[in-house]
Amino acid sequence: DTEVTQTPKHLVMGMTNKKSLKCEQHMGHRAMYWYKQKAKKPPELMFVYSYEKLSINESVPSRFSPECPNSSLLNLHLHALQPEDSALYLCASSQRTRGTAYEQYFGPGTRLTVT
Amino acid sequence: AQSVSQHNHHVILSEAASLELGCNYSYGGTVNLFWYVQYPGQHLQLLLKYFSGDPLVKGIKGFEAEFIKSKFSFNLRKPSVQWSDTAEYFCAVSGGSYIPTFGRGTSLIVHP
């Protein structure tokens, strides 16, 4: 199984709402990532979890709050978002061995619209 | 720090034409290189990767790429494109970190 799943596929939320995005993988990968992607642009790294610990936060505003409850699951909690946060949110995973890079497997993304 | 540039931002071809998309990276040490594709409405998929060994790498769907260390390049090629190759193509490099850096992407449109 080389699949990364994400739910929901689409999400519309108001600026005062609280919602969560979910990502799951069962490949035994120990690195998981959140990216934000605008149309026709490359993915922008937001957060990286390595062995369930947050290892990178790319200066993301606190209205985005990641969580990694276990090695297979990654959440992104959203609160008080702005319209400019509307984008495709991608989850990815990869093996993680010190000093070695592996390819990332991407999920289909959650299309988020903030109204 | 690692960086990657893709020089062709938009490419328009007719079916059966040959394709070459440029990718150059900047990093002084050992690198791992990737090409990802994103078809319209679909998620990013790995086309091919280079870690070590033969610098000519073959990927899925007839794509190949050649790592030329002296030129810091990893260009993507396909001898004959199809309409279904219409997509965004992203080159990515990871050097000292396992986190890849993505290029800005190339939008390929293939006319039938």
Short mmCIF file of all heavy atoms in Angstrom, two decimals, chain A residues 8-66:
data_model
loop_
_atom_site.label_atom_id
_atom_site.label_comp_id
_atom_site.label_asym_id
_atom_site.label_seq_id
_atom_site.Cartn_x
_atom_site.Cartn_y
_atom_site.Cartn_z
N PRO A 8 -11.02 16.08 4.75
CA PRO A 8 -11.94 15.88 3.62
C PRO A 8 -11.29 16.26 2.30
O PRO A 8 -10.19 16.80 2.28
CB PRO A 8 -13.07 16.85 3.96
CG PRO A 8 -12.39 17.98 4.66
CD PRO A 8 -11.28 17.36 5.47
N LYS A 9 -11.95 15.99 1.20
CA LYS A 9 -11.43 16.39 -0.11
C LYS A 9 -11.60 17.89 -0.31
O LYS A 9 -10.76 18.56 -0.93
CB LYS A 9 -12.17 15.65 -1.23
CG LYS A 9 -11.77 14.21 -1.40
CD LYS A 9 -12.29 13.68 -2.74
CE LYS A 9 -11.69 12.34 -3.10
NZ LYS A 9 -12.21 11.24 -2.28
N HIS A 10 -12.73 18.39 0.14
CA HIS A 10 -13.04 19.82 0.00
C HIS A 10 -13.52 20.33 1.36
O HIS A 10 -14.20 19.60 2.09
CB HIS A 10 -14.14 20.05 -1.04
CG HIS A 10 -13.80 19.58 -2.41
ND1 HIS A 10 -13.09 20.33 -3.32
CD2 HIS A 10 -14.08 18.42 -3.04
CE1 HIS A 10 -12.94 19.63 -4.43
NE2 HIS A 10 -13.54 18.47 -4.30
N LEU A 11 -13.21 21.58 1.65
CA LEU A 11 -13.64 22.18 2.90
C LEU A 11 -13.86 23.67 2.66
O LEU A 11 -12.99 24.35 2.15
CB LEU A 11 -12.60 21.97 4.00
CG LEU A 11 -12.91 22.60 5.37
CD1 LEU A 11 -14.16 21.99 5.95
CD2 LEU A 11 -11.73 22.40 6.31
N VAL A 12 -15.06 24.12 3.04
CA VAL A 12 -15.36 25.55 3.00
C VAL A 12 -15.59 25.98 4.45
O VAL A 12 -16.39 25.36 5.16
CB VAL A 12 -16.61 25.85 2.15
CG1 VAL A 12 -16.91 27.35 2.16
CG2 VAL A 12 -16.41 25.35 0.72
N MET A 13 -14.91 26.99 4.88
CA MET A 13 -15.07 27.43 6.27
C MET A 13 -15.04 28.95 6.36
O MET A 13 -14.39 29.63 5.55
CB MET A 13 -14.01 26.81 7.17
CG MET A 13 -12.57 27.15 6.82
SD MET A 13 -11.38 26.24 7.84
CE MET A 13 -11.58 27.03 9.44
N GLY A 14 -15.76 29.44 7.35
CA GLY A 14 -15.75 30.87 7.62
C GLY A 14 -14.54 31.23 8.46
O GLY A 14 -13.85 30.37 9.00
N MET A 15 -14.30 32.50 8.57
CA MET A 15 -13.10 32.97 9.25
C MET A 15 -13.15 32.74 10.75
O MET A 15 -12.11 32.79 11.41
CB MET A 15 -12.87 34.46 8.93
CG MET A 15 -12.43 34.69 7.49
SD MET A 15 -11.86 36.36 7.19
CE MET A 15 -13.40 37.22 7.11
N THR A 16 -14.31 32.45 11.29
CA THR A 16 -14.39 32.21 12.73
C THR A 16 -14.48 30.72 13.07
O THR A 16 -14.52 30.35 14.24
CB THR A 16 -15.61 32.93 13.33
OG1 THR A 16 -16.78 32.45 12.65
CG2 THR A 16 -15.48 34.44 13.15
N ASN A 17 -14.51 29.89 12.04
CA ASN A 17 -14.68 28.44 12.28
C ASN A 17 -13.40 27.79 12.78
O ASN A 17 -12.29 28.32 12.61
CB ASN A 17 -15.10 27.74 10.97
CG ASN A 17 -16.49 28.08 10.53
OD1 ASN A 17 -16.83 27.91 9.36
ND2 ASN A 17 -17.33 28.56 11.43
N LYS A 18 -13.59 26.61 13.37
CA LYS A 18 -12.47 25.71 13.69
C LYS A 18 -12.72 24.41 12.96
O LYS A 18 -13.80 23.81 13.11
CB LYS A 18 -12.44 25.41 15.19
CG LYS A 18 -11.89 26.49 16.07
CD LYS A 18 -11.78 25.99 17.51
CE LYS A 18 -11.25 27.05 18.43
NZ LYS A 18 -11.17 26.59 19.82
N LYS A 19 -11.75 23.97 12.22
CA LYS A 19 -11.86 22.71 11.49
C LYS A 19 -10.52 21.99 11.54
O LYS A 19 -9.50 22.58 11.92
CB LYS A 19 -12.23 22.97 10.01
CG LYS A 19 -13.58 23.62 9.79
CD LYS A 19 -14.70 22.64 9.99
CE LYS A 19 -16.04 23.31 9.67
NZ LYS A 19 -17.18 22.40 9.97
N SER A 20 -10.54 20.73 11.13
CA SER A 20 -9.30 19.95 11.10
C SER A 20 -9.18 19.18 9.79
O SER A 20 -10.18 18.69 9.26
CB SER A 20 -9.26 18.96 12.27
OG SER A 20 -9.24 19.63 13.49
N LEU A 21 -7.95 19.08 9.31
CA LEU A 21 -7.63 18.23 8.16
C LEU A 21 -6.92 16.98 8.70
O LEU A 21 -6.15 17.05 9.66
CB LEU A 21 -6.71 18.96 7.18
CG LEU A 21 -7.13 20.36 6.74
CD1 LEU A 21 -6.14 20.87 5.69
CD2 LEU A 21 -8.53 20.38 6.22
N LYS A 22 -7.19 15.87 8.01
CA LYS A 22 -6.62 14.60 8.47
C LYS A 22 -5.82 13.94 7.36
O LYS A 22 -6.19 14.00 6.18
CB LYS A 22 -7.75 13.68 8.93
CG LYS A 22 -7.31 12.33 9.45
CD LYS A 22 -8.53 11.52 9.87
CE LYS A 22 -8.16 10.08 10.15
NZ LYS A 22 -9.33 9.27 10.52
N CYS A 23 -4.73 13.31 7.74
CA CYS A 23 -3.87 12.61 6.79
C CYS A 23 -3.48 11.27 7.41
O CYS A 23 -3.17 11.20 8.61
CB CYS A 23 -2.63 13.45 6.50
SG CYS A 23 -1.36 12.61 5.54
N GLU A 24 -3.44 10.24 6.59
CA GLU A 24 -3.10 8.91 7.10
C GLU A 24 -2.23 8.16 6.09
O GLU A 24 -2.45 8.25 4.88
CB GLU A 24 -4.38 8.13 7.38
CG GLU A 24 -4.25 6.99 8.34
CD GLU A 24 -5.59 6.54 8.93
OE1 GLU A 24 -6.64 7.12 8.59
OE2 GLU A 24 -5.56 5.61 9.73
N GLN A 25 -1.26 7.43 6.60
CA GLN A 25 -0.44 6.55 5.76
C GLN A 25 -0.12 5.29 6.53
O GLN A 25 0.04 5.34 7.76
CB GLN A 25 0.84 7.25 5.28
CG GLN A 25 1.76 7.78 6.36
CD GLN A 25 2.79 6.79 6.87
OE1 GLN A 25 3.04 5.74 6.27
NE2 GLN A 25 3.42 7.12 7.99
N HIS A 26 -0.03 4.19 5.81
CA HIS A 26 0.26 2.90 6.43
C HIS A 26 1.46 2.25 5.76
O HIS A 26 1.49 1.03 5.57
CB HIS A 26 -0.97 2.00 6.39
CG HIS A 26 -2.12 2.54 7.18
ND1 HIS A 26 -2.15 2.52 8.56
CD2 HIS A 26 -3.26 3.16 6.79
CE1 HIS A 26 -3.27 3.08 8.98
NE2 HIS A 26 -3.96 3.49 7.93
N MET A 27 2.44 3.08 5.39
CA MET A 27 3.64 2.57 4.73
C MET A 27 4.79 2.45 5.71
O MET A 27 5.91 2.13 5.32
CB MET A 27 4.03 3.52 3.59
CG MET A 27 3.01 3.52 2.46
SD MET A 27 3.43 4.68 1.14
CE MET A 27 2.81 6.22 1.81
N GLY A 28 4.53 2.75 6.99
CA GLY A 28 5.61 2.69 7.97
C GLY A 28 6.57 3.87 7.88
O GLY A 28 7.66 3.81 8.44
N HIS A 29 6.16 4.92 7.17
CA HIS A 29 7.03 6.09 7.03
C HIS A 29 7.09 6.85 8.35
O HIS A 29 6.08 6.97 9.06
CB HIS A 29 6.50 7.00 5.92
CG HIS A 29 6.68 6.43 4.55
ND1 HIS A 29 6.14 7.03 3.42
CD2 HIS A 29 7.35 5.34 4.12
CE1 HIS A 29 6.48 6.31 2.36
NE2 HIS A 29 7.20 5.28 2.75
N ARG A 30 8.26 7.38 8.66
CA ARG A 30 8.42 8.06 9.93
C ARG A 30 8.56 9.57 9.78
O ARG A 30 8.75 10.28 10.76
CB ARG A 30 9.62 7.51 10.69
CG ARG A 30 9.53 6.00 10.94
CD ARG A 30 8.19 5.56 11.53
NE ARG A 30 7.95 6.12 12.84
CZ ARG A 30 8.36 5.54 13.97
NH1 ARG A 30 9.05 4.42 13.93
NH2 ARG A 30 8.09 6.10 15.16
N ALA A 31 8.50 10.07 8.54
CA ALA A 31 8.47 11.52 8.30
C ALA A 31 7.16 11.86 7.62
O ALA A 31 6.77 11.21 6.65
CB ALA A 31 9.64 11.95 7.43
N MET A 32 6.48 12.88 8.14
CA MET A 32 5.23 13.32 7.54
C MET A 32 5.24 14.83 7.44
O MET A 32 5.85 15.52 8.27
CB MET A 32 4.03 12.83 8.35
CG MET A 32 3.89 11.31 8.33
SD MET A 32 2.40 10.69 9.12
CE MET A 32 1.16 11.03 7.86
N TYR A 33 4.59 15.34 6.39
CA TYR A 33 4.73 16.74 6.01
C TYR A 33 3.37 17.36 5.72
O TYR A 33 2.48 16.68 5.20
CB TYR A 33 5.55 16.86 4.71
CG TYR A 33 6.83 16.08 4.64
CD1 TYR A 33 6.83 14.70 4.46
CD2 TYR A 33 8.06 16.73 4.71
CE1 TYR A 33 8.01 13.99 4.37
CE2 TYR A 33 9.25 16.02 4.60
CZ TYR A 33 9.22 14.66 4.44
OH TYR A 33 10.39 13.94 4.33
N TRP A 34 3.26 18.64 6.00
CA TRP A 34 2.13 19.45 5.49
C TRP A 34 2.70 20.49 4.55
O TRP A 34 3.69 21.17 4.87
CB TRP A 34 1.38 20.16 6.62
CG TRP A 34 0.39 19.30 7.35
CD1 TRP A 34 0.43 18.94 8.66
CD2 TRP A 34 -0.81 18.73 6.83
NE1 TRP A 34 -0.65 18.17 8.99
CE2 TRP A 34 -1.44 18.02 7.87
CE3 TRP A 34 -1.44 18.73 5.57
CZ2 TRP A 34 -2.64 17.32 7.72
CZ3 TRP A 34 -2.63 18.05 5.41
CH2 TRP A 34 -3.22 17.35 6.48
N TYR A 35 2.04 20.60 3.39
CA TYR A 35 2.37 21.60 2.40
C TYR A 35 1.12 22.40 2.07
O TYR A 35 0.00 21.87 2.11
CB TYR A 35 2.86 20.96 1.09
CG TYR A 35 4.24 20.37 1.09
CD1 TYR A 35 4.45 19.04 1.46
CD2 TYR A 35 5.34 21.12 0.70
CE1 TYR A 35 5.72 18.49 1.44
CE2 TYR A 35 6.62 20.58 0.67
CZ TYR A 35 6.79 19.26 1.04
OH TYR A 35 8.06 18.71 1.01
N LYS A 36 1.35 23.63 1.62
CA LYS A 36 0.29 24.47 1.07
C LYS A 36 0.62 24.71 -0.40
O LYS A 36 1.77 25.02 -0.73
CB LYS A 36 0.25 25.80 1.82
CG LYS A 36 -0.72 26.83 1.27
CD LYS A 36 -0.60 28.11 2.07
CE LYS A 36 -1.49 29.21 1.53
NZ LYS A 36 -1.35 30.46 2.32
N GLN A 37 -0.37 24.55 -1.27
CA GLN A 37 -0.11 24.75 -2.69
C GLN A 37 -1.17 25.64 -3.30
O GLN A 37 -2.36 25.33 -3.25
CB GLN A 37 -0.04 23.41 -3.45
CG GLN A 37 0.41 23.57 -4.89
CD GLN A 37 0.46 22.27 -5.67
OE1 GLN A 37 -0.28 21.34 -5.37
NE2 GLN A 37 1.33 22.21 -6.67
N LYS A 38 -0.72 26.73 -3.90
CA LYS A 38 -1.59 27.59 -4.69
C LYS A 38 -1.54 27.10 -6.13
O LYS A 38 -0.60 26.42 -6.55
CB LYS A 38 -1.13 29.04 -4.61
CG LYS A 38 -1.25 29.65 -3.22
CD LYS A 38 -2.65 30.15 -2.97
CE LYS A 38 -2.70 31.12 -1.80
NZ LYS A 38 -4.06 31.61 -1.54
N ALA A 39 -2.55 27.49 -6.91
CA ALA A 39 -2.69 27.01 -8.29
C ALA A 39 -1.43 27.31 -9.11
O ALA A 39 -0.91 28.41 -9.09
CB ALA A 39 -3.90 27.64 -8.95
N LYS A 40 -0.96 26.29 -9.81
CA LYS A 40 0.19 26.39 -10.73
C LYS A 40 1.48 26.78 -10.02
O LYS A 40 2.42 27.29 -10.66
CB LYS A 40 -0.09 27.42 -11.85
CG LYS A 40 -1.37 27.17 -12.62
CD LYS A 40 -1.18 26.10 -13.64
CE LYS A 40 -2.41 26.00 -14.54
NZ LYS A 40 -2.30 24.92 -15.51
N LYS A 41 1.54 26.59 -8.71
CA LYS A 41 2.74 26.91 -7.95
C LYS A 41 3.29 25.64 -7.29
O LYS A 41 2.55 24.67 -7.11
CB LYS A 41 2.42 27.94 -6.85
CG LYS A 41 1.90 29.27 -7.36
CD LYS A 41 2.97 30.02 -8.11
CE LYS A 41 2.47 31.39 -8.52
NZ LYS A 41 3.44 32.07 -9.41
N PRO A 42 4.55 25.64 -6.92
CA PRO A 42 5.08 24.47 -6.22
C PRO A 42 4.53 24.40 -4.81
O PRO A 42 4.10 25.41 -4.25
CB PRO A 42 6.59 24.71 -6.20
CG PRO A 42 6.73 26.19 -6.30
CD PRO A 42 5.58 26.67 -7.14
N PRO A 43 4.56 23.22 -4.22
CA PRO A 43 4.12 23.12 -2.82
C PRO A 43 5.06 23.89 -1.90
O PRO A 43 6.27 23.88 -2.09
CB PRO A 43 4.18 21.61 -2.53
CG PRO A 43 4.80 20.96 -3.69
CD PRO A 43 4.96 21.95 -4.78
N GLU A 44 4.48 24.57 -0.91
CA GLU A 44 5.27 25.31 0.08
C GLU A 44 5.25 24.52 1.38
O GLU A 44 4.17 24.23 1.92
CB GLU A 44 4.66 26.68 0.37
CG GLU A 44 4.54 27.62 -0.80
CD GLU A 44 3.73 28.86 -0.44
OE1 GLU A 44 3.81 29.32 0.71
OE2 GLU A 44 2.97 29.34 -1.31
N LEU A 45 6.41 24.20 1.88
CA LEU A 45 6.50 23.42 3.11
C LEU A 45 5.97 24.23 4.29
O LEU A 45 6.30 25.41 4.45
CB LEU A 45 7.95 23.02 3.35
CG LEU A 45 8.20 22.10 4.53
CD1 LEU A 45 7.57 20.73 4.31
CD2 LEU A 45 9.70 21.98 4.79
N MET A 46 5.13 23.56 5.11
CA MET A 46 4.61 24.21 6.32
C MET A 46 5.24 23.55 7.56
O MET A 46 5.84 24.23 8.38
CB MET A 46 3.09 24.06 6.38
CG MET A 46 2.34 24.69 5.24
SD MET A 46 0.58 24.36 5.31
CE MET A 46 0.06 25.36 6.70
N PHE A 47 5.04 22.27 7.70
CA PHE A 47 5.49 21.54 8.89
C PHE A 47 6.09 20.19 8.48
O PHE A 47 5.66 19.60 7.49
CB PHE A 47 4.32 21.26 9.84
CG PHE A 47 3.58 22.47 10.32
CD1 PHE A 47 2.33 22.78 9.79
CD2 PHE A 47 4.10 23.28 11.32
CE1 PHE A 47 1.63 23.89 10.23
CE2 PHE A 47 3.41 24.39 11.76
CZ PHE A 47 2.16 24.70 11.21
N VAL A 48 7.04 19.73 9.31
CA VAL A 48 7.58 18.39 9.16
C VAL A 48 7.57 17.70 10.51
O VAL A 48 8.00 18.29 11.51
CB VAL A 48 9.03 18.39 8.63
CG1 VAL A 48 9.52 16.95 8.46
CG2 VAL A 48 9.12 19.13 7.31
N TYR A 49 7.07 16.49 10.55
CA TYR A 49 7.16 15.64 11.73
C TYR A 49 8.12 14.49 11.40
O TYR A 49 8.02 13.86 10.36
CB TYR A 49 5.79 15.07 12.10
CG TYR A 49 4.99 15.98 12.99
CD1 TYR A 49 4.24 17.03 12.44
CD2 TYR A 49 4.99 15.83 14.36
CE1 TYR A 49 3.52 17.88 13.25
CE2 TYR A 49 4.26 16.68 15.19
CZ TYR A 49 3.53 17.71 14.62
OH TYR A 49 2.81 18.55 15.43
N SER A 50 9.03 14.26 12.33
CA SER A 50 9.95 13.16 12.20
C SER A 50 9.83 12.32 13.46
O SER A 50 10.05 12.84 14.56
CB SER A 50 11.38 13.67 12.02
OG SER A 50 12.29 12.60 11.96
N TYR A 51 9.50 11.05 13.30
CA TYR A 51 9.28 10.17 14.45
C TYR A 51 8.30 10.81 15.44
O TYR A 51 8.55 10.84 16.65
CB TYR A 51 10.60 9.80 15.13
CG TYR A 51 11.49 8.95 14.25
CD1 TYR A 51 12.44 9.54 13.41
CD2 TYR A 51 11.39 7.57 14.25
CE1 TYR A 51 13.24 8.76 12.59
CE2 TYR A 51 12.18 6.79 13.44
CZ TYR A 51 13.10 7.39 12.61
OH TYR A 51 13.89 6.61 11.80
N GLU A 52 7.20 11.31 14.90
CA GLU A 52 6.09 11.88 15.65
C GLU A 52 6.43 13.15 16.40
O GLU A 52 5.63 13.64 17.21
CB GLU A 52 5.48 10.86 16.64
CG GLU A 52 4.84 9.66 15.97
CD GLU A 52 5.79 8.48 15.87
OE1 GLU A 52 6.10 7.87 16.91
OE2 GLU A 52 6.23 8.17 14.74
N LYS A 53 7.60 13.71 16.15
CA LYS A 53 7.96 14.97 16.81
C LYS A 53 8.07 16.06 15.74
O LYS A 53 8.60 15.84 14.65
CB LYS A 53 9.29 14.83 17.52
CG LYS A 53 9.23 14.01 18.79
CD LYS A 53 10.53 14.05 19.54
CE LYS A 53 10.48 13.44 20.94
NZ LYS A 53 9.67 12.25 21.06
N LEU A 54 7.56 17.24 16.08
CA LEU A 54 7.64 18.36 15.15
C LEU A 54 9.10 18.76 15.00
O LEU A 54 9.76 19.14 15.97
CB LEU A 54 6.81 19.54 15.67
CG LEU A 54 6.76 20.76 14.76
CD1 LEU A 54 6.06 20.45 13.44
CD2 LEU A 54 6.06 21.93 15.47
N SER A 55 9.62 18.66 13.77
CA SER A 55 11.03 18.99 13.57
C SER A 55 11.21 20.29 12.78
O SER A 55 12.24 20.93 12.88
CB SER A 55 11.76 17.84 12.86
OG SER A 55 11.24 17.61 11.57
N ILE A 56 10.22 20.64 11.98
CA ILE A 56 10.32 21.88 11.21
C ILE A 56 8.97 22.59 11.21
O ILE A 56 7.92 21.98 10.97
CB ILE A 56 10.76 21.60 9.76
CG1 ILE A 56 12.19 21.08 9.73
CG2 ILE A 56 10.64 22.86 8.89
CD1 ILE A 56 12.70 20.70 8.35
N ASN A 57 9.01 23.87 11.51
CA ASN A 57 7.86 24.76 11.37
C ASN A 57 8.37 25.94 10.56
O ASN A 57 9.21 26.71 11.02
CB ASN A 57 7.37 25.21 12.75
CG ASN A 57 6.24 26.22 12.67
OD1 ASN A 57 6.00 26.84 11.64
ND2 ASN A 57 5.53 26.39 13.75
N GLU A 58 7.89 26.05 9.34
CA GLU A 58 8.40 27.08 8.43
C GLU A 58 7.72 28.43 8.69
O GLU A 58 7.15 29.05 7.80
CB GLU A 58 8.18 26.65 6.97
CG GLU A 58 9.04 25.49 6.54
CD GLU A 58 10.50 25.89 6.35
OE1 GLU A 58 10.78 26.74 5.48
OE2 GLU A 58 11.36 25.36 7.08
N SER A 59 7.80 28.86 9.96
CA SER A 59 7.23 30.17 10.34
C SER A 59 5.77 30.31 9.93
O SER A 59 5.34 31.33 9.40
CB SER A 59 8.04 31.32 9.70
OG SER A 59 9.39 31.23 10.07
N VAL A 60 5.03 29.25 10.18
CA VAL A 60 3.61 29.23 9.81
C VAL A 60 2.82 29.95 10.90
O VAL A 60 3.08 29.75 12.10
CB VAL A 60 3.12 27.78 9.67
CG1 VAL A 60 1.63 27.73 9.32
CG2 VAL A 60 3.95 27.05 8.61
N PRO A 61 1.83 30.77 10.52
CA PRO A 61 1.02 31.47 11.54
C PRO A 61 0.34 30.48 12.49
O PRO A 61 0.00 29.35 12.10
CB PRO A 61 -0.02 32.21 10.69
CG PRO A 61 0.58 32.33 9.33
CD PRO A 61 1.47 31.15 9.15
N SER A 62 0.13 30.93 13.71
CA SER A 62 -0.40 30.05 14.76
C SER A 62 -1.84 29.63 14.51
O SER A 62 -2.34 28.74 15.21
CB SER A 62 -0.28 30.72 16.12
OG SER A 62 -1.02 31.92 16.12
N ARG A 63 -2.50 30.22 13.55
CA ARG A 63 -3.86 29.78 13.22
C ARG A 63 -3.84 28.38 12.57
O ARG A 63 -4.89 27.75 12.41
CB ARG A 63 -4.58 30.79 12.32
CG ARG A 63 -3.88 31.12 11.02
CD ARG A 63 -4.64 32.24 10.30
NE ARG A 63 -4.10 32.56 8.99
CZ ARG A 63 -3.18 33.49 8.80
NH1 ARG A 63 -2.70 34.19 9.83
NH2 ARG A 63 -2.72 33.72 7.57
N PHE A 64 -2.66 27.90 12.20
CA PHE A 64 -2.47 26.53 11.75
C PHE A 64 -1.74 25.77 12.85
O PHE A 64 -0.65 26.17 13.26
CB PHE A 64 -1.61 26.47 10.48
CG PHE A 64 -2.24 27.12 9.28
CD1 PHE A 64 -2.02 28.46 9.01
CD2 PHE A 64 -3.05 26.39 8.42
CE1 PHE A 64 -2.60 29.07 7.90
CE2 PHE A 64 -3.62 26.98 7.31
CZ PHE A 64 -3.39 28.32 7.05
N SER A 65 -2.33 24.67 13.30
CA SER A 65 -1.74 23.93 14.40
C SER A 65 -1.66 22.46 14.04
O SER A 65 -2.67 21.78 13.92
CB SER A 65 -2.61 24.13 15.65
OG SER A 65 -2.14 23.31 16.70
N PRO A 66 -0.44 21.94 13.85
CA PRO A 66 -0.32 20.53 13.46
C PRO A 66 -0.33 19.63 14.68
O PRO A 66 -0.04 20.05 15.81
CB PRO A 66 1.05 20.48 12.78
CG PRO A 66 1.84 21.52 13.51
CD PRO A 66 0.87 22.59 13.91
#
